[in-house]
Amino acid sequence: MTKGAEAGATAQPLLQMAADYYKWRTVLFAIELDLFSGLIDTPMTRAGVRDRFGIAERGVRDFLDALVSLGLLERQGDRYRTAPLAARFLDTEKTAYLGRFLEQADARWSRVGEGLLSGEPQNGARRGAGMFTQQHRSLQAWRAYYGGMDALNGPSGRALVDAFDWSGVKRVTDAGGARGNVLAQLVRAHPHLEATVFDLAAAEEVFREHMAELGLTGRVNFRAGDFFRDPLPESDVVVFGHVLHDWDVEQRRQLAARAFAAVSPGGWALVYDTMIDDERAKAANPLLVSLNMMLCTPGGSEYTPSEGAAWFTEAGFSDVEFRPLAGDDTLLLARRAG
């Protein structure tokens, strides 16, 4: 008798993984149909959905009711309409639309075997800033990418408002801060902050568009640059949010050194990523996110808190500490001695 059988093991965990995959594929097909956009203002019967979207009669009822059970559709009488979650993130007319982002993730993960065998990204990414500009050549592409980033960064950005004492900070720079979603939350909660996004010039138009939508034009500044080539703005705090995991270890060391050069004595570098526990065994999600970074970057991965501490200590920071931030994210705080 095997050890698993002796322990009374069942196949339920494996079956649940399969069920999660069924959910994923069902939602992606609804995105492909643009079902959620179509049902926001025009609730439809099952027959109406069948005829408009070309779904066969045999599966349409289970398909729609499965989306109801997942919280993405609502059923009122015999009509279906888009639920608030899908209306927010899966309507192609919204700037927060995540559909393209999810489809890109699916395309990468369909090639996970190729990625593991080759060690190469599966989306054509190349080393350096071109990793982003090569993949996002239009305003719509940048909107789709940053919509995904905002969804990922949103909970940690909200948590960052209270996770650090901002009362003595004047200047804060979000390096790789995209369209400013995290800094927008900080300046609303702490109006005294002088906030700057430092990112590629290609991101500036989407940044300005987003600040206008949030009613924060002029409250957050944008500085164009490549943080591997250009100095970061002088700051009291430099933030790297879901940034270090994009790059290889030597590039992370460079960014830590650039942060040290930018922050004033007594200033801080704040870093958050989906860090792997030091034992590399307690939580699966950070390890899977690390595999995702392998599939979409030339050298990126997640890392442990102790590895992150080493890079910032080498750069000259002291008093490095960690704390949970939001979800699976961990916050690293590194102080430059005064």
Side-chain angles (χ1 to χ4, degrees):
M1 186 178 294
T2 66
K3 183 177 180 180
E6 290 175 343
T10 74
Q12 189 56 39
L14 293 173
L15 297 175
Q16 185 57 54
M17 293 177 201
D20 289 339
Y21 179 72
Y22 302 162
K23 295 175 187 177
W24 174 246
R25 295 304 310 169
T26 299
V27 173
L28 283 174
F29 182 63
I31 290 170
E32 181 182 330
L33 293 175
D34 201 15
L35 179 74
F36 302 111
S37 300
L39 296 181
I40 283 183
D41 298 319
T42 311
M44 295 184 187
T45 63
R46 185 170 77 241
V49 171
R50 178 198 64 202
D51 294 342
R52 175 170 173 181
F53 295 96
I55 304 171
E57 175 63 29
R58 181 181 179 189
V60 66
R61 185 179 186 184
D62 288 345
F63 174 58
L64 293 174
D65 288 343
L67 293 171
V68 170
S69 74
L70 293 173
L72 299 178
L73 290 182
E74 295 175 339
R75 188 179 61 233
Q76 299 171 336
D78 65 348
R79 293 180 178 271
Y80 295 85
R81 69 178 303 153
T82 303
L85 176 63
R88 176 76 176 91
F89 294 110
L90 297 176
D91 174 15
T92 53
E93 297 300 315
K94 301 289 197 314
T95 58
Y97 177 64
L98 283 178
R100 186 170 184 271
F101 183 84
L102 297 177
E103 288 172 333
Q104 289 172 337
D106 184 66
R108 290 194 302 272
W109 276 87
S110 71
R111 299 178 58 84
V112 63
E114 289 92 330
L116 284 166
L117 292 172
S118 68
E120 297 295 328
Q122 298 301 301
N123 60 351
R126 65 189 184 194
R127 186 178 173 88
M131 177 171 72
F132 296 104
T133 56
Q134 180 190 28
Q135 297 174 73
H136 308 111
R137 297 175 183 242
S138 68
L139 183 61
Q140 189 57 39
W142 282 107
R143 285 172 180 155
Y145 176 70
Y146 283 145
M149 291 300 98
D150 286 352
L152 292 171
N153 286 337
S156 290
R158 288 189 290 274
L160 196 61
V161 167
D162 298 313
F164 179 76
D165 182 4
W166 295 98
S167 62
V169 175
K170 181 179 180 182
R171 301 164 300 172
V172 55
T173 296
D174 191 350
R179 59 181 185 176
N181 210 50
V182 171
L183 288 186
Q185 297 180 74
L186 286 178
V187 299
R188 279 178 168 161
H190 306 287
H192 70 282
L193 291 175
E194 297 177 9
T196 300
V197 165
F198 185 88
D199 212 322
L200 299 173
E204 185 168 4
E205 186 173 355
V206 181
F207 162 83
R208 298 198 181 283
E209 177 182 81
H210 192 53
M211 290 299 103
E213 181 180 342
L214 296 178
L216 291 174
T217 298
R219 289 289 293 112
V220 180
N221 301 309
F222 188 94
R223 176 87 65 86
D226 177 343
F227 49 38
F228 291 116
R229 298 180 180 179
D230 305 311
L232 298 175
E234 293 183 1
S235 307
D236 302 308
V237 173
V238 170
V239 177
F240 292 111
H242 293 164
V243 167
L244 263 62
H245 72 178
D246 289 332
W247 311 102
D248 64 34
V249 170
E250 182 52 39
Q251 290 169 314
R252 294 169 194 174
R253 289 192 174 103
Q254 293 176 35
L255 292 177
R258 288 180 175 273
F260 184 81
V263 299
S264 54
W268 295 81
L270 305 182
V271 179
Y272 59 87
D273 271 315
T274 307
M275 297 184 199
I276 299 169
D277 61 278
D278 280 319
E279 293 80 9
R280 296 181 58 86
K282 292 181 179 177
N285 195 50
L287 292 161
L288 294 170
V289 174
S290 193
L291 283 177
N292 185 64
M293 301 314 298
M294 177 199 72
L295 294 173
C296 65
T297 67
S301 68
E302 299 302 333
Y303 51 91
T304 66
S306 60
E307 289 169 335
W311 305 324
F312 283 84
T313 300
E314 290 170 7
F317 287 94
S318 59
D319 304 321
V320 180
E321 60 180 285
F322 304 90
R323 62 189 65 163
L325 188 59
D328 292 310
D329 277 352
T330 297
L331 176 66
L332 178 155
L333 305 94
R335 182 176 180 271
R336 176 172 176 172

